[in-house]
Amino acid sequence: MKSFLKDTLLFIAFLLTYFGLNYGINQYFIQLSSPQIEKRILIMGDSHIEASIDPTAFPSAISVAQSVEPYFISYWKLKSIMHKSKIDTLILGFSYNNLAESYDDVLHNLWCLEMFKRIYPIAELNTLKGLKIKWKEYGLRKFKNMCIAPRPNHVFYMGDFSGLDSTKNNLDAYLANVSRHFSKSDGTNFGVSSTSVEFLNKIVAFCQTNNIKLILVGTPLHEKYRENIPSNFEESYAELINTFQKKGVTIYNYSEAVFTDTDFFDVDHLNIKGAKQFTASLIRNNF
Amino acid sequence: MLFNSLEFALFLPIVFALYWFVCNRNLRLQNALLLAASYFFYGWWDWRFLSLIIFSSFVDYIVGLQLGKQEDDRIRWRLLLVSIIVNLGFLGVFKYYDFFAQSFVDAFTLVGVPFDIARLNWILPVGISFYTFQTLSYSLDIYNRELEPTKDIVSFFAFVSFFPQLVAGPIERASHLLPQFDKKRDFTYDNAVDGLRQMLWGFFKKVVIADNCAVYVTMIFASYEDLSGITLIMGAVYLIFQIYCDFSGYSDIAIGTARLFGFNLTQNFNNPYFSTSTTELWRRWHMSLSTWFRDYVFTPLMLRYRHLKKKTAYIATFITFVLLGIWHGANWTFVVFGLLQSVALCLEIYTRKRRKKLKKSKNFYSKPYYFGSWLLTMVFWLTVSILFRAEDLGHAWDYIVHILTNTDWVSIAYLDVILIGLIGLLMIIERIQFEKPHGLVLDGLIKPKIIRWGVYLILVLSVLILGGPQQEFVYFQF
């Protein structure tokens, strides 16, 4: 038994040393590869922003928006990006769905594996209070990416402008889009997420501390979508606009801007044609 | 609890430590620990179904004791019937009731007499087909006076629910496993180390090959109508390696785990994909099940119908393999799977003498004959395995028809060169290790310890790096 335990423990120790060594190397790579952005304007948010704002229309801008991105991930991303970058303006998505509790579930529902892949180098999960997290899946993802082999690239959280196909139109499935954001599986509505509001406040504070001009942008929404937004979200949205305006945050709410059906990919995302038009209008009126 | 889970990675060392360091001085305590661990292992999946195992174990324990005491053949027969009815009754209700009810409804509707029977829609308890056959073999062996009943209830209950092989075999015979619970198990370095190696080999087969094949199998079977014939053949190739590596991988992990506790389980697979006939394939595939059917179905049928002379073998083969097919699942696909196997086996019985003659001759044709036999066996296995995965007979038939009609032999989708390479490597290793109980018996092959450890490290890393998305074991559904 002694020899068996000795050999087994030795092999395990050998494995652990190997994993530990890789962890150290990858930690170094994470620091080395943290993004360094040479642009003035940073565009951030979920798929609404990802699809609607074309950074190439700005003189110096980059979009890092990614679909289904809650504010807590945007906050972690911003902190990570600001290590090596000098940004003076942050354009952040600010739509009704960004406030919904449905975004609190992304570390627990079908999106969790994709989210863990993006966030493992920047996540501060201990700062999330009361959110359900699939810890085992998170641990496995982190272990696989950090301990198995040296990987020079750990940055999976930088998105881009998506430019959705303008030949396709998915307006008929509007109820599915609305319910995805605002309805639970039992048919009742999600509430306003206190976590999202908390992290939005953190982003505001971070920008003020780092002299970054924060612009919250509500992207155009089709009337079929707007008409079905639960009233409690409209009220909270209006309240937050007031609160942030008092804090000196610039807010451009284009959710009711008039765009034709041919500008939409679906009821809450512009297609590439609509995005070009919207970006031009955003720059023309505000920059 | 799945073997390929974090829970099992914690569970196993805890039970191992308690077994060898806390309970090692008392055999009954060790058995009690194994029983508790086995119930915990099973209950992790669904504790409610533990009652079925406990009830089955209790009935067979009592029946076994009574069979041991009784001399009256009529009473012994009735006692055996109790065991058969209880065990097959549970299996029938949980696994087959809905299938037969639906088949009756379909049959009557087809002849214009529509009616309906209530369906149960119950969840199938994991491993019910395995432990039912295991506990049933105990009663049958005592009835046949081939085994003495045990009086030790803890040993018996632990034998029925022994966690390494509880949910997907190997299906152990009481005569082989039960005595191991009654004698002191000694820890030996070689046995334990080889157990770990066998587990590692099983994990490699399951996590690296089967789970990755499963991804392609799911995609190809879901969209077979749009894919070329060659891609569909590729899908069937992935499928046969998925089911082989999944199940033989599970068996290797089970056998390896049992060895850590000083138990020897039956070998369940012996390089079946090197077989040159379907008969040989079934001697090498899921051996614990095929020998169960041989001993408790085929041989009694041969004895029962021996007056039919030459026809006896055909009848016994036919019945045995149709039942073996149904054992796999409550679906007509499995019935036809068994049926086709029986047809192939009957053909092989019919041509046995001629083939034997050809095999023995060292003439020009003997080598091509071997290759041809192997190829024919594999093509047949590949074709019938489609039934294993298809949702129904129509799906299987369509898949096969699309192979033959979508004759685009160039555009091959889902060709994963790394996976094909790994499958090739597996087959080479299995060929080299043909006579060994598993692919990782390296003692005679690689002498320096450091190189052996390097091989283990590569395998551990392969499991971690190349492992496909976690899948349940295919045979859990049986």
Side-chain angles (χ1 to χ4, degrees), chain B residues 318-330:
Chain B
F318 178 79
I319 295 172
T320 305
F321 273 83
V322 169
L323 288 175
L324 192 139
I326 296 173
W327 177 90
H328 284 88

Side-chain angles (χ1 to χ4, degrees), chain A residues 4 7 15 136 144 148, chain B residues 7 189 449 453 457 464-465:
Chain A
F4 174 75
D7 278 2
L15 265 181
K136 197 174 93 180
K144 273 193 170 187
I148 308 287
Chain B
E7 292 86 1
Y189 176 88
K449 198 174 185 176
W453 280 35
L457 184 69
L464 292 170
I465 298 169

Side-chain angles (χ1 to χ4, degrees), chain A residues 86-105:
Chain A
K86 288 206 185 314
I87 304 293
D88 61 31
T89 306
L90 170 66
I91 296 176
L92 182 66
F94 181 61
S95 202
Y96 298 93
N97 67 304
N98 294 119
L99 304 177
E101 278 175 332
S102 53
Y103 271 12
D104 289 355
D105 282 343

